[in-house]
Amino acid sequence: MKLSNRLQRIHDQIPAGSRMADIGSDHALLPVAAVRSGKAVSAIAGEVNPGPYDAACKQVSDAGLKANITVRRGDGLDVISPGEVDVITIAGMGGALIASILDRGISKLEGVQLLILQPNVGEDILRRWLLDHHWVVVAEQLLEEDGKIYEIITVMPQASSPIANEEVYRARPLQGGVTLTEDLLLRMGPYLTDRPTEVFFTKWESEIDKLQGVVQSISKSDQDSSREKAAEMERLIMSLKEVLACLPKVKQ
């Protein structure tokens, strides 16, 4: 079974011998691959929707791994108990939804040593939640696959992290008097901005284009709130452009 590049990158972040839970597991491809490779000694595949749940059950059965992988139907972290796993993966959802899943199931994070998260959008919302709840980003990856750009964020509890959040989000001066503030680091990624790739620039040039489109749309409104929103977004666009202009272009 060959994983997509996105899932393979997530798989590679899992420490050998883990007890993992894959939330929103879909066809349980990641748990099956992790158990087969020895990355996981046991796995829980959680899925709330009946179709993907049935597909996950079939995948695990066909792989002959029912003794190692439990497929459970439930919403978010409802499928696990405190202390049952030490690694949780959540991929293919919006950052706000992932943050909501973690927040609602926060009691289930007891004993978890690693979160490997792949938000499709809203990465800043997720990073903010992690920061506010004392989880530390220890690695970030950015990849393009099938015309889409994905971020993978690997996180540890503050108590066991080799680096403190204060250092991760420390404001960083760039050339030209531009500063990467905490807000910009939460938005763009503290590690991704340290070594920006071609994909990074592609992503943020696209994001700027989207923001400019929104500004044009809401600028047509006569409401004070719309004008204030447009001005706020224009300031963000300017900041993003300044950062991109000052970051080093890294050859791939």
Side-chain angles (χ1 to χ4, degrees), residues 137-201:
V137 177
V138 294
E140 294 176 318
Q141 298 180 63
L142 194 65
L143 70 143
E144 186 171 8
E145 187 172 47
D146 297 330
K148 296 181 180 179
I149 294 176
Y150 301 101
E151 288 189 23
I152 299 169
I153 304 172
T154 304
V155 195
M156 296 178 69
Q158 186 169 273
S160 55
S161 171
I163 187 170
N165 267 321
E166 289 77 10
E167 180 63 20
V168 172
Y169 292 110
R170 175 182 51 81
R172 299 160 203 186
L174 301 174
Q175 292 182 348
V178 174
T179 299
L180 268 171
T181 62
E182 179 183 284
D183 181 68
L184 286 168
L185 290 168
L186 285 163
R187 189 178 295 274
M188 304 177 83
Y191 298 93
L192 299 177
T193 50
D194 269 352
R195 190 172 175 80
T197 62
E198 185 177 338
V199 175
F200 176 89
F201 285 100

Side-chain angles (χ1 to χ4, degrees), residues 37 65 98 221 250:
S37 70
L65 293 173
I98 295 175
S221 172
V250 177

Side-chain angles (χ1 to χ4, degrees), residues 105-147:
I106 200 163
S107 64
K108 307 295 184 69
L109 297 177
E110 178 186 330
V112 174
Q113 292 303 306
L114 204 67
L115 301 175
I116 308 170
L117 311 170
Q118 184 268 295
N120 289 342
V121 294
E123 298 89 353
D124 57 321
I125 297 170
L126 178 56
R127 286 193 189 93
R128 172 60 70 182
W129 186 93
L130 294 165
L131 175 62
D132 289 345
H133 291 83
H134 312 296
W135 288 83
V136 183
V137 177
V138 294
E140 294 176 318
Q141 298 180 63
L142 194 65
L143 70 143
E144 186 171 8
E145 187 172 47
D146 297 330

Side-chain angles (χ1 to χ4, degrees), residues 35-60:
V35 169
R36 279 180 168 170
S37 70
K39 287 283 190 177
V41 294
S42 64
I44 295 164
E47 182 54 62
V48 70
N49 296 310
Y53 169 81
D54 292 339
C57 290
K58 184 177 187 306
Q59 182 80 248
V60 172

Side-chain angles (χ1 to χ4, degrees), residues 69-113:
I69 302 173
T70 306
V71 183
R72 299 178 186 172
R73 189 173 171 197
D75 190 5
L77 300 186
D78 289 352
V79 298
I80 63 173
S81 301
E84 192 174 15
V85 299
D86 44 49
V87 174
I88 295 175
T89 57
I90 309 178
M93 307 177 196
L97 178 55
I98 295 175
S100 174
I101 287 170
L102 295 172
D103 196 66
R104 194 171 65 84
I106 200 163
S107 64
K108 307 295 184 69
L109 297 177
E110 178 186 330
V112 174
Q113 292 303 306

